[in-house]
Amino acid sequence: MTVGKRRRQPSLAQLRAFAAVAEHLHFRDAAAATGVSQPALSGAVSALEETLGVTLLERTTRRVLLSPAGERLAVRAKAVLEEIGALMEEADALRAPFTGALRLGVIPTVAPYLLPTVLRLVHDRYPHLDLQVHEEQTANLLDGLAGGRLDLLLLAVPLGVPGVTELPLFDEDFVLVTPLGHPLGGREGIPRAALRELNLLLLDEGHCLRDQALDICREAGRAGVPATTTAAGLSTLVQLVAGGLGTTLLPRTAVRVETARSAQLLTGSFADPAPTRRIALAMRTGAARADEYEELASALRGSMRDLPVRTVA
């Protein structure tokens, strides 16, 4: 079996020279436009003709004309050079930090309460960053991160997932939400042991906040929580409490938004150490943009100091 001789390919310099001549139809003007000498320009076009095996120009003493082949290939040369320019611009953008798309996954029990802070920070500090937000439960977010569908996650940790690096942002306390008239409503210093006797309402399966609430109950000495009534989101959960169906636990960042929906609610705080959750950014270990993500985490810690949380250094 014989292998055909590999054809030479035109250089970018040859294509630029030909495109300039095709545009100006004058060697001197084309040379001035490209910043090379006229002999060098002419030599580049001749070399391109030799490489392609076609005549591109009809040269006379008075003017330069494109041959039929030259007219067709001039369009191609211009398109190639435009694509090369676009490639270089894209590479420049990728080299610049906080540009291009950033696909951020957020859990539902974080998104409504923290996204305003995140979006304001990105708008003010990183105006060239194309932030794309996806709200999903933790398992789906981790699948998206592992598969490359998502770049960065904002969620509760620890995850304990190999290949995922966590960038802690803050810790926040849980508060007890009760209906009006409940004996623990509005109290401070509530002992965790009180959770053993409460009719506690939880989110549906799949929400990490449900698992955290169950962990808190176990730490308080409660074996489990009967799933007689559950909700798909915190807003519904709080409305069930307002209707007198039970009590629930809310992360402190959600309290202002959710309890403002009803005048039939009270909140109580736990005695120290209060049950808490930690919120972090999560990225693939060794991510190409790891430095950017770490800088973003630091900026977020600073912007979240006005929230009812304790930022993590």
Side-chain angles (χ1 to χ4, degrees), residues 32-57:
T34 55
V36 300
S37 67
Q38 189 170 329
L41 184 82
S42 179
V45 174
S46 297
L48 179 61
E49 289 177 316
E50 182 180 350
T51 298
L52 298 177
V54 296
T55 299
L56 300 172
L57 304 177

Side-chain angles (χ1 to χ4, degrees), residues 175-176 183-192 252 267-272:
V175 302
L176 182 67
L184 295 180
R187 280 185 52 185
E188 297 182 0
I190 299 171
R192 290 200 195 196
R252 193 168 286 280
T267 59
S269 60
F270 289 93
D272 291 334

Side-chain angles (χ1 to χ4, degrees), residues 12-93:
L12 289 178
Q14 293 169 358
L15 292 176
R16 289 192 185 99
F18 171 53
V21 174
E23 179 181 354
H24 295 279
L25 295 178
H26 198 290
F27 276 99
R28 186 183 62 216
D29 293 345
T34 55
V36 300
S37 67
Q38 189 170 329
L41 184 82
S42 179
V45 174
S46 297
L48 179 61
E49 289 177 316
E50 182 180 350
T51 298
L52 298 177
V54 296
T55 299
L56 300 172
L57 304 177
E58 295 178 5
R59 301 168 177 83
T60 69
T61 55
R62 293 186 176 182
R63 58 181 179 171
V64 176
L65 296 176
L66 291 176
S67 69
E71 290 181 353
R72 293 181 60 180
L73 293 179
V75 176
R76 296 279 189 179
K78 181 179 179 181
V80 169
L81 293 171
E82 287 177 348
E83 285 300 315
I84 292 294
L87 174 70
M88 298 304 294
E89 289 178 2
E90 183 91 3
D92 288 341

Side-chain angles (χ1 to χ4, degrees), residues 237-307:
L237 199 62
V238 170
Q239 291 305 311
L240 293 174
V241 173
L245 294 187
T247 63
T248 195
L249 296 172
L250 276 189
R252 193 168 286 280
T253 51
V255 170
R256 183 180 60 83
V257 172
E258 298 302 342
T259 59
R261 304 176 192 273
S262 174
Q264 304 302 309
L265 297 166
L266 292 172
T267 59
S269 60
F270 289 93
D272 291 334
T276 65
R277 73 170 180 175
R278 173 164 289 188
I279 301 299
L281 292 177
M283 64 179 180
R284 287 183 296 277
T285 301
R289 302 173 72 180
D291 289 345
E292 289 180 55
Y293 300 155
E294 290 175 2
E295 182 179 335
L296 177 61
S298 178
L300 282 172
R301 291 184 199 106
S303 65
M304 290 174 174
R305 289 197 179 102
D306 292 335
L307 299 177

Side-chain angles (χ1 to χ4, degrees), residues 42-180:
S42 179
V45 174
S46 297
L48 179 61
E49 289 177 316
E50 182 180 350
T51 298
L52 298 177
V54 296
T55 299
L56 300 172
L57 304 177
E58 295 178 5
R59 301 168 177 83
T60 69
T61 55
R62 293 186 176 182
R63 58 181 179 171
V64 176
L65 296 176
L66 291 176
S67 69
E71 290 181 353
R72 293 181 60 180
L73 293 179
V75 176
R76 296 279 189 179
K78 181 179 179 181
V80 169
L81 293 171
E82 287 177 348
E83 285 300 315
I84 292 294
L87 174 70
M88 298 304 294
E89 289 178 2
E90 183 91 3
D92 288 341
L94 291 173
R95 283 198 304 270
F98 297 105
T99 58
L102 173 58
R103 299 163 298 179
L104 177 68
V106 191
I107 56 174
T109 58
V110 162
Y113 321 115
L114 297 186
L115 276 181
T117 300
V118 174
L119 296 176
R120 186 164 53 248
L121 171 71
V122 171
H123 179 270
D124 293 344
R125 189 174 299 192
Y126 311 115
H128 301 295
L129 186 64
D130 177 18
L131 184 65
Q132 302 169 8
V133 177
H134 303 262
E135 184 186 48
E136 302 171 26
Q137 292 185 7
T138 300
N140 289 339
L141 293 181
L142 289 172
D143 287 344
L145 185 69
R149 178 173 61 86
L150 299 173
D151 302 310
L152 194 63
L153 308 180
L154 179 59
L155 73 179
V157 296
L159 299 167
V161 177
V164 175
T165 297
E166 299 169 7
L167 306 174
L169 298 177
F170 63 83
D171 295 327
E172 64 174 327
D173 293 340
F174 282 96
V175 302
L176 182 67
V177 182
T178 72
L180 289 178

